[in-house]
Amino acid sequence: MIWSKIARIILRYRIIFLLIITGLTAFMALQVPRLQLDYGYSGMMPDSDSVSIKLEEFKEVFGGDATIFLLGVQDSNFFDLDKFNDWKQLKKDLLEIDGIETVLSISDAIAIQKNSSGGKFEFNNIFPKEVISQLQLDSLAQVFRGFPIYEELLYSSQSNIYMMILTMDSVMINSRNRELIVKRTQELAGQWGDKYNRKVHFSGLPYLRSQLLIMIKAELLKFIYLAAFVTFILLLIFFRSLKAVIPSVLVVGMGVLWAFGTMVVLDFRVTVLTGMIPPVIIVIGIPNCVFLLNKYHQEFKKHGNKIKALQRAIQKVGYAIFLTNLTTAAGFATFMVINNQMLSRFGFIASVNIMILFVLSVFLIPIIFSFLPPPSPRQIKHLDHKIISRIVEIFIYLVGNQRKAIYLVFALMLGLSVWGISKMKTTGFIVDDIPSDHPLVVDLKFFEEHLGGVMPLEVSIDTRKPRGALRNTTLKKVEMFQNKLAGYPELSRSLSVVDVLKFGRQAYFKGDVSQYKLPSQQEQNFILRSLEGSAENSFLFRMLIDSGKQKLRVNIRVADIGVDRMLALKDSIQNDLDHFFPASDYRAILTGSSLTFTLGTHYLVRNLFVSLGLAILLISLFMAWMFSSSQMVLISIFPNLLPLLITAGIMGFFSIPIKPSTILVFSVAFGISVDTAIHFLAKIRQELACPRTLPDQAVIKALREVGVSITYTVIILFFGFGIFVASDFGGTVAMGLLTAITLFVAVFANLLLVPSFLLGQARNGAMKKVKNN
């Protein structure tokens, strides 16, 4: 047999293999310091999708929509002289931060006035460089409040909210410097807040992403340590010997180094998904070691020959471990078919390193133990563990005597699961995976409550004609469209060139607030000459219209309202756009990073179900490779689909929504749970190869022998994935908990349903078709 040859080669050339593996691992370890976090934004939509294309088109004309960083304070006494002057100084200090391009504050507010001759506009700051008295400030504040354009842009009179709008450098925002920029901004703003006993709130996509990266970095190390600690303690409890435990921990530790190293070599960066790979490697790698060690100890207990026992361990368990790692890798690899860079890279790195882990386990465990003394009677005493043995015997009894009851219980669970599945819902909030009491979410909700939202949503209107954006008919349509937008409670106040022209008309009529209206054609010509002739003071105007005056922008900010509401809102706004700007005359598109994220979530959920179907297909093919009978494939696959249905039912009953982080559970858990069936069925095949072994005897003998290892591994997997409940990300918590539950149910399905089905098939001869490779 091929595995006999592999076992002899591994042990014969053990020193050479040990040197090669150690050298390659050392190389991977040297790559770890070069590992970087993903400071960019891995879009959730493929680049070829129309949504992504529209966003890129918008950025080419108007620039990025995700560089704005907001800070705000609620204060009914904001216009206190010292407080206001310190606010002005804060703005100056923020501008000195390398990476902050602009800071728009109340102190920057301008008033447009006709000059004395009436020939052009003059642009003057409402607040001078030095405000020397409270009386002067009160008077200037009154002037400031007389310009409607600033309402809900820099302040909210109703809620007494005052803001600064920061824009970050588009290059530095995608580098590790962003974290430093945000940290320094928080420090400076925090000093102002501490001085006046006011809470300063922060939000905007750059801030949200920076905080998420800080959390990812902290969790990466936390879960590596937790996974290592939990598996170490469990192995020590099971094997009761450091000599058995330390080599296993060493192997999975090397697997972690390979995972990090391959990320660096392939120039992949750490994301919230790839950050989970190292602890997952630890959790998945330990069962490999458990099966090899248990088989080694079982064989040594039979004949006392160490080398022969190691060779038999590779020969009899190696093939099963290969298949289990292959199916687990297949579960992760299916994410590669989804046209999303973040998920594709996650699937590739995970699947490749799971197979590398297989090689490390099969080579290193036998090689290391070949240099160690033979196991002592104390070290193999765990094979007679009374509690574990009693559990296995209970399984054997139930399979042999209570098969109808087993079928009935699982049928009842299946029925309840179908009911629960009918209650499942899909969601997808930008901060969906962060606890509701986290400062990140608290600040976001603060802005949403008082201003309607902070997430970028944009409208681009192409009039198809040069200067068509400034035609009166177009401007009136834009005004009506903005009035329509004002009726959506999820949206902030919209901003367009219409607001700038209204501002100009108000100035044309000497600041009369009642004249804050669209100008006539004659008035518009005067206003435009003044605005276009003042490069310094027409920033807002230039930001909202292209150089050819053909395209204009309507800037909106939207609350984090989730997939369902966002999809409905998108359709409603698009209908409004189609109504005011028919496709025959205009090209009006709705875009923005918030929309891309929301539609991307919807896209991912849909495609992750495709990946699950692909995982089932691939694993079914692997099982068909193992057996020649379609009945045997169904017997092995169905019990591992049942835990997925039960988990889906639990999600429905406990209102755990379907989202990218929870849908990952199904492909991952299926790939892992089927491992139990593979170990069990591989052992049955070995038993059937023995002369005079009847099928029903093979089932019971296989269940008794592999039951101990399976029990060990399911406990390790349960607690290994259970550590993710300590995460600050709700999605990671849900994935860890749901995977742990799925695997726990899967062990019962594989140790009760599979042998029950096989004993039923033993009578009709289906098991005689099992291949004997």
Side-chain angles (χ1 to χ4, degrees), residues 58-65 67-68 101-102 104 149 153 165-167 458-460 494-500 531 534-547 549 551-557:
F58 175 85
K59 289 180 179 179
E60 286 179 9
V61 178
F62 299 106
D65 71 328
T67 61
I68 293 177
E101 288 192 327
T102 63
L104 185 61
I149 192 171
L153 176 65
I165 304 174
L166 294 71
T167 58
E458 303 281 357
V459 170
S460 173
S494 61
L495 185 68
S496 78
V497 69
V498 167
D499 299 282
V500 179
L531 288 175
S534 176
E536 181 181 359
N537 293 307
S538 62
F539 165 74
L540 195 59
F541 181 79
R542 290 182 284 108
M543 184 181 71
L544 297 170
I545 193 168
D546 76 323
S547 58
K549 312 298 187 292
K551 300 177 182 179
L552 62 88
R553 167 191 192 178
V554 180
N555 173 257
I556 321 165
R557 295 192 300 271

Side-chain angles (χ1 to χ4, degrees), residues 38-276:
D38 183 3
Y39 287 91
Y41 178 59
S42 299
M44 303 192 59
M45 297 292 289
D47 294 338
S48 59
D49 190 271
S50 61
V51 175
S52 299
I53 293 172
K54 287 178 182 178
L55 182 59
E56 289 306 312
E57 286 180 3
F58 175 85
K59 289 180 179 179
E60 286 179 9
V61 178
F62 299 106
D65 71 328
T67 61
I68 293 177
F69 179 14
L70 304 177
L71 62 89
V73 62
Q74 188 171 32
D75 189 352
S76 59
N77 193 30
F78 178 80
F79 287 103
D80 171 82
L81 182 61
D82 292 337
K83 192 182 298 182
F84 181 78
N85 282 332
D86 284 342
W87 187 260
K88 289 178 63 179
Q89 184 60 45
L90 172 61
K91 182 248 177 157
K92 294 178 182 177
D93 294 339
L94 291 173
L95 274 174
E96 292 180 0
I97 299 174
D98 187 21
I100 298 292
E101 288 192 327
T102 63
V103 179
L104 185 61
S105 171
I106 287 174
S107 59
D108 300 306
I110 59 171
I112 308 177
Q113 297 174 328
K114 279 186 182 180
N115 62 10
S116 57
S117 65
K120 64 177 182 178
F121 279 155
E122 290 181 349
F123 297 84
N124 300 304
N125 280 61
I126 295 175
F127 301 96
K129 290 183 178 180
E130 292 186 19
V131 182
I132 59 176
S133 71
Q134 185 64 53
L135 184 63
Q136 180 190 17
L137 179 59
D138 291 342
S139 175
L140 294 173
Q142 189 67 25
V143 173
F144 168 74
R145 293 191 183 100
F147 292 102
I149 192 171
Y150 298 121
E151 177 72 38
E152 295 187 12
L153 176 65
L154 292 176
Y155 81 109
S156 169
S157 58
Q158 184 176 358
S159 303
N160 291 313
I161 306 294
Y162 299 88
M163 294 190 298
M164 284 189 190
I165 304 174
L166 294 71
T167 58
M168 297 176 68
D169 180 83
S170 58
V171 175
M172 296 186 74
I173 201 173
N174 291 326
S175 71
R176 65 176 62 189
N177 293 322
R178 180 173 67 186
E179 193 175 320
L180 300 175
I181 295 169
V182 171
K183 183 178 180 181
R184 182 59 179 157
T185 301
Q186 288 179 297
E187 289 175 354
L188 292 173
Q191 290 169 9
W192 185 94
D194 292 341
K195 182 175 181 178
Y196 295 104
N197 195 28
R198 287 289 180 268
K199 165 68 175 172
V200 180
H201 301 269
F202 305 89
S203 199
L205 282 182
Y207 173 71
L208 290 173
R209 293 171 189 165
S210 296
Q211 297 304 103
L212 287 173
L213 284 170
I214 292 171
M215 294 170 68
I216 291 170
K217 189 190 301 183
E219 295 216 333
L220 178 63
L221 294 176
K222 177 172 74 174
F223 285 119
I224 289 176
Y225 294 145
L226 269 177
F229 176 75
V230 169
T231 53
F232 178 83
I233 294 300
L234 290 174
L235 285 175
L236 196 58
I237 292 172
F238 294 152
F239 291 100
R240 303 175 186 178
S241 168
L242 286 174
K243 288 183 179 179
V245 173
I246 291 177
S248 301
V249 174
L250 177 65
V251 168
V252 294
M254 294 173 73
V256 170
L257 291 177
W258 275 82
F260 282 139
T262 51
M263 278 192 261
V264 174
V265 170
L266 296 171
D267 195 28
F268 291 176
R269 299 190 176 192
V270 178
T271 66
V272 68
L273 286 179
T274 54
M276 294 168 56

Side-chain angles (χ1 to χ4, degrees), residues 175-463:
S175 71
R176 65 176 62 189
N177 293 322
R178 180 173 67 186
E179 193 175 320
L180 300 175
I181 295 169
V182 171
K183 183 178 180 181
R184 182 59 179 157
T185 301
Q186 288 179 297
E187 289 175 354
L188 292 173
Q191 290 169 9
W192 185 94
D194 292 341
K195 182 175 181 178
Y196 295 104
N197 195 28
R198 287 289 180 268
K199 165 68 175 172
V200 180
H201 301 269
F202 305 89
S203 199
L205 282 182
Y207 173 71
L208 290 173
R209 293 171 189 165
S210 296
Q211 297 304 103
L212 287 173
L213 284 170
I214 292 171
M215 294 170 68
I216 291 170
K217 189 190 301 183
E219 295 216 333
L220 178 63
L221 294 176
K222 177 172 74 174
F223 285 119
I224 289 176
Y225 294 145
L226 269 177
F229 176 75
V230 169
T231 53
F232 178 83
I233 294 300
L234 290 174
L235 285 175
L236 196 58
I237 292 172
F238 294 152
F239 291 100
R240 303 175 186 178
S241 168
L242 286 174
K243 288 183 179 179
V245 173
I246 291 177
S248 301
V249 174
L250 177 65
V251 168
V252 294
M254 294 173 73
V256 170
L257 291 177
W258 275 82
F260 282 139
T262 51
M263 278 192 261
V264 174
V265 170
L266 296 171
D267 195 28
F268 291 176
R269 299 190 176 192
V270 178
T271 66
V272 68
L273 286 179
T274 54
M276 294 168 56
I277 291 176
V280 167
I281 288 291
I282 294 173
V283 174
I284 292 175
I286 288 296
N288 292 349
C289 303
V290 168
F291 276 97
L292 284 165
L293 282 176
N294 269 341
K295 192 60 184 176
Y296 167 49
H297 288 169
Q298 288 170 355
E299 291 294 329
F300 183 81
K301 185 178 180 181
K302 290 180 182 177
H303 46 68
N305 187 315
K306 182 181 73 172
I307 298 300
K308 182 179 179 181
L310 290 170
Q311 185 174 332
R312 288 282 183 88
I314 300 171
Q315 178 183 336
K316 294 188 175 182
V317 179
Y319 178 64
I321 291 178
F322 169 73
L323 285 178
T324 57
N325 282 256
L326 188 63
T327 54
T328 302
F332 283 95
T334 55
F335 300 134
M336 294 168 59
V337 304
I338 298 175
N339 194 3
N340 172 269
Q341 188 181 80
M342 183 172 64
L343 268 175
S344 179
R345 289 183 172 183
F346 168 69
F348 180 78
I349 290 291
S351 57
V352 166
N353 280 280
I354 286 169
M355 296 312 298
I356 290 173
L357 191 62
F358 156 74
V359 175
L360 293 176
S361 304
V362 170
F363 277 74
L364 288 180
I365 290 296
I367 289 174
I368 291 172
F369 280 93
S370 70
F371 289 107
L372 295 175
S376 64
R378 179 178 172 274
Q379 291 172 340
I380 61 176
K381 189 177 180 180
H382 70 91
L383 295 173
D384 301 318
H385 197 292
K386 291 183 179 179
I387 296 177
I388 300 297
S389 299
R390 191 173 301 168
I391 291 173
V392 173
E393 290 303 319
I394 290 173
F395 281 129
I396 292 172
Y397 168 78
L398 292 174
V399 168
N401 301 279
Q402 301 292 333
R403 287 200 293 277
K404 289 183 179 180
I406 291 172
Y407 297 150
L408 181 62
V409 170
F410 277 101
L412 180 61
M413 294 174 68
L414 178 60
L416 289 172
S417 299
V418 172
W419 183 21
I421 290 170
S422 67
K423 300 176 178 289
M424 292 179 73
K425 295 181 179 179
T426 302
T427 187
F429 295 86
I430 294 177
V431 292
D432 202 21
D433 291 335
I434 305 174
S436 59
D437 59 349
H438 192 280
L440 198 66
V441 179
V442 172
D443 280 1
L444 177 64
K445 297 306 175 186
F446 169 82
F447 284 103
E448 290 182 349
E449 178 183 353
H450 297 292
L451 299 170
V454 299
M455 301 304 172
L457 189 64
E458 303 281 357
V459 170
S460 173
I461 301 170
D462 184 354
T463 62

Side-chain angles (χ1 to χ4, degrees), residues 670-682:
F670 182 74
I672 297 174
S673 65
V674 79
D675 295 352
T676 305
I678 289 174
H679 279 291
F680 180 57
L681 295 170

Side-chain angles (χ1 to χ4, degrees), residues 483-735:
N483 291 336
K484 185 73 173 179
L485 291 177
Y488 294 104
E490 304 92 342
L491 302 180
S492 68
R493 171 250 178 102
S494 61
L495 185 68
S496 78
V497 69
V498 167
D499 299 282
V500 179
L501 292 173
K502 286 181 178 180
F503 183 37
R505 188 177 191 273
Q506 181 183 0
Y508 186 84
F509 286 95
K510 300 181 180 181
D512 184 353
V513 68
S514 66
Q515 299 301 319
Y516 185 74
K517 301 175 183 178
L518 269 175
S520 66
Q521 190 64 55
Q522 181 181 353
E523 295 164 347
Q524 184 189 119
N525 292 336
F526 176 84
I527 293 169
L528 288 176
R529 282 198 307 270
S530 298
L531 288 175
E532 292 174 352
S534 176
E536 181 181 359
N537 293 307
S538 62
F539 165 74
L540 195 59
F541 181 79
R542 290 182 284 108
M543 184 181 71
L544 297 170
I545 193 168
D546 76 323
S547 58
K549 312 298 187 292
Q550 177 176 317
K551 300 177 182 179
L552 62 88
R553 167 191 192 178
V554 180
N555 173 257
I556 321 165
R557 295 192 300 271
V558 63
D560 188 16
I561 54 178
V563 170
D564 292 341
R565 178 56 191 146
M566 191 64 170
L567 290 174
L569 183 65
K570 166 190 168 291
D571 292 340
S572 184
I573 294 177
Q574 190 62 58
N575 287 336
D576 294 335
L577 279 172
D578 295 340
H579 171 71
F580 291 113
F581 307 98
S584 57
D585 300 317
Y586 302 90
R587 184 172 185 267
I589 62 172
L590 179 64
T591 184
S593 296
S594 58
L595 184 63
T596 303
F597 176 89
T598 303
L599 295 179
T601 299
H602 185 67
Y603 168 86
L604 282 181
V605 168
R606 186 174 66 248
N607 283 273
L608 282 168
F609 277 111
V610 174
S611 76
L612 173 60
L614 182 59
I616 294 170
L617 176 62
L618 285 175
I619 292 171
S620 298
L621 292 175
F622 294 151
M623 302 300 280
W625 179 32
M626 207 172 164
F627 300 99
S628 60
S629 168
S630 58
Q631 288 177 306
M632 299 298 288
V633 173
L634 290 174
I635 287 172
S636 58
I637 293 296
F638 174 74
N640 289 289
L641 290 176
L642 186 59
L644 303 187
L645 296 175
I646 292 173
T647 298
I650 291 173
M651 290 174 65
F653 282 122
F654 290 93
S655 300
I656 301 173
I658 300 173
K659 53 186 177 181
S661 52
T662 54
I663 201 70
L664 286 172
V665 171
F666 297 99
S667 295
V668 173
F670 182 74
I672 297 174
S673 65
V674 79
D675 295 352
T676 305
I678 289 174
H679 279 291
F680 180 57
L681 295 170
K683 182 59 185 174
I684 288 177
R685 188 177 57 189
Q686 291 176 4
E687 293 295 335
L688 289 174
C690 299
R692 300 177 183 175
T693 300
L694 298 175
D696 55 345
Q697 294 174 331
V699 171
I700 299 302
K701 289 179 68 175
L703 186 56
R704 183 170 281 118
E705 182 167 331
V706 302
V708 174
S709 296
I710 289 175
T711 304
Y712 283 172
T713 56
V714 75
I715 292 173
I716 291 170
L717 288 170
F718 181 81
F719 285 102
F721 279 97
I723 65 171
F724 290 111
V725 299
S727 174
D728 289 328
F729 292 101
T732 305
V733 172
M735 195 190 102

